[in-house]
Amino acid sequence: IKEDGIYTVRSQEELELIYAIVMQEAGNNYEGALAVITSAANRCHSSRWKSYGSTILEQLTAPSQYCYSIDNYWRKYLGGNVPDNVKQAVADGLNGKTNHSYTCFRSTSGGDPTRVNIGGNWYFGD
C-alpha cells in the first residue's frame, strides 16, 4: 500500500474499516469494489470534494457520503470479514489502480443516460 498522500492507511483497523465500507457499498464483486474505492480516490483529487478529506479513508467516512455515516450495515464486515476479491480490489485501489474517473454513484441510473454501471452501481460526476 502506498504510504503517502491519499493512499495512507495507518493501521490494520483502518484497513479493515475500508474493507467493510467498500464491501457494503459494492458487494462481493471485484470491479464494483475497485469502483467504490476509485470514487473515493477521485474525490481526493477533486477540488469540489477535497473538503471531505484528503485520504481515501477520510472520504469514505465523511458525514452523509458513503454508507459509513448513513447506516451500520457495514459493521458486519469488520475484522476482515470480506472475501479475498474485495480485499484485492481495496489493495489495488490503495496502490493507485482505478477503473473510472467518476466521483459519485447511486444504486440506480435515475434515468440519466450519462451514468455508467460498474458492478451494480451507477457512476457519475467529476
Side-chain angles (χ1 to χ4, degrees):
I1 295 173
K2 291 182 178 183
E3 289 298 330
D4 62 326
I6 68 171
Y7 307 99
T8 299
V9 176
R10 292 184 174 87
S11 68
Q12 185 65 30
E13 291 78 21
E14 285 185 0
L15 182 59
E16 290 177 10
L17 179 56
I18 293 171
Y19 290 156
I21 295 168
V22 169
M23 177 68 187
Q24 175 63 31
E25 294 285 10
N28 184 5
N29 177 295
Y30 175 87
E31 286 301 321
L34 183 59
V36 169
I37 200 162
T38 295
S39 71
N42 291 344
R43 286 180 175 205
C44 291
H45 294 295
S46 168
S47 60
R48 179 177 177 200
W49 295 97
K50 195 72 166 175
S51 65
Y52 288 95
S54 59
T55 69
I56 288 172
L57 179 62
E58 289 171 342
Q59 288 288 335
L60 290 172
T61 58
S64 301
Q65 297 305 305
Y66 297 84
C67 67
Y68 176 81
S69 67
I70 297 170
D71 62 42
N72 288 315
Y73 299 125
W74 54 270
R75 291 183 183 273
K76 64 185 171 187
Y77 302 115
L78 287 174
N81 188 25
V82 299
D84 289 342
N85 60 322
V86 172
K87 290 179 182 179
Q88 185 62 55
V90 167
D92 290 347
L94 289 172
N95 279 303
K97 184 175 181 178
T98 62
N99 62 356
H100 65 80
S101 61
Y102 304 106
T103 55
C104 303
F105 64 92
R106 297 277 185 264
S107 60
T108 66
S109 70
D112 183 345
T114 64
R115 291 185 180 185
V116 175
N117 188 293
I118 305 171
N121 284 320
W122 293 86
Y123 289 82
F124 60 97
D126 58 351

